[in-house]
Amino acid sequence: MAYEGKMKYFILTNGDKNPFPQIINWSQTIDVRKLTRDEYQKMPPFIQFNAKLGMDGIFPDVIDKPFLLLSREAMEVTALYDLNIPFLFFVLFDTEKGECASYYCPVLEEEECLAKHFGPGQREIILDRKKFSGAPLFRVRTGTESAVVIRMDLAESLLERGGIGMKLKEVSLSDGSILK
């Protein structure tokens, strides 16, 4: 289904001003290939990770690496915009500091909606409006990596509620006819 709306979209990453928790040994605990709508039900309903918070570290509302994690508040807001999005429950423990935080991992649709780039080596993500559905939160593959894309209304709603840890970079949209 082609997206006909005029809503802006952004790449969602972590802000770089605060030290965020570092998830330790996540690759031995979870198979990220199963974080898809087809495979997520094969994962355990509760996953615990060791994390290192650092001296002045905080538990933000959004963690984007190694996979997207949302605080309870951010998850509840996201669920208002996408009623069908499934979530997995994760807990991060910093055993050195004795602190923990609960997070929810949204199982995102991966959309094949990249427009072709203007030239070789261009790193800017351009989405083809005719190739994506207009979902409020989705993943797009950029070669060997992927990026989380968030719609402006959901991003504004998270920010209005005091969401911390978000960095937004606007994505260019194309109608598919000008890029070759």
Side-chain angles (χ1 to χ4, degrees):
M1 173 173 110
Y3 175 65
E4 301 294 329
K6 299 295 181 191
M7 189 72 68
K8 292 182 181 180
Y9 280 79
F10 300 87
I11 299 295
L12 175 65
T13 59
N14 280 131
D16 50 7
K17 294 184 179 179
N18 295 313
F20 296 117
Q22 176 185 3
I23 300 173
I24 301 168
N25 296 333
W26 61 268
S27 61
Q28 286 126 11
T29 308
I30 186 172
D31 183 357
V32 294
R33 295 173 296 182
K34 291 187 178 176
L35 288 177
T36 66
R37 296 280 174 110
D38 295 331
E39 299 281 325
Y40 81 94
Q41 293 172 330
K42 297 176 184 173
M43 302 202 36
F46 171 89
I47 299 173
Q48 177 181 327
F49 291 110
N50 289 324
K52 187 170 185 139
L53 196 52
M55 184 184 275
D56 295 327
I58 61 167
F59 286 112
D61 290 302
V62 175
I63 298 175
D64 74 326
K65 292 198 182 343
F67 35 80
L68 185 63
L69 295 175
L70 303 174
S71 68
R72 180 177 188 86
E73 296 80 14
M75 178 271 300
E76 289 172 349
V77 172
T78 302
L80 292 173
Y81 286 83
D82 187 346
L83 301 176
N84 298 318
I85 191 167
F87 292 92
L88 296 171
F89 181 69
F90 293 171
V91 176
L92 303 183
F93 278 102
D94 184 333
T95 53
E96 288 179 21
K97 287 189 153 189
E99 296 184 34
C100 69
S102 300
Y103 281 92
Y104 297 83
C105 178
V107 181
L108 303 176
E109 290 281 357
E110 186 168 309
E111 296 205 22
E112 301 283 334
C113 58
L114 281 180
K116 292 183 181 177
H117 296 295
F118 288 108
Q122 182 175 356
R123 306 245 337 136
E124 179 186 6
I125 293 176
I126 302 171
L127 301 181
D128 186 340
R129 192 182 290 277
K130 294 180 180 177
K131 293 182 181 177
F132 74 95
S133 66
L137 190 66
F138 61 92
R139 183 174 309 283
V140 62
R141 181 130 331 257
T142 58
T144 58
E145 296 184 9
S146 64
V148 175
V149 179
I150 187 169
R151 198 171 61 200
M152 184 172 71
D153 56 345
L154 173 55
E156 286 177 342
S157 190
L158 289 168
L159 290 169
E160 286 174 6
R161 288 169 173 81
I164 56 171
M166 294 174 44
K167 181 178 177 182
L168 302 170
K169 181 182 177 205
E170 189 171 350
V171 174
S172 299
L173 296 178
S174 161
D175 65 3
S177 61
I178 55 172
L179 300 176
K180 300 200 176 184

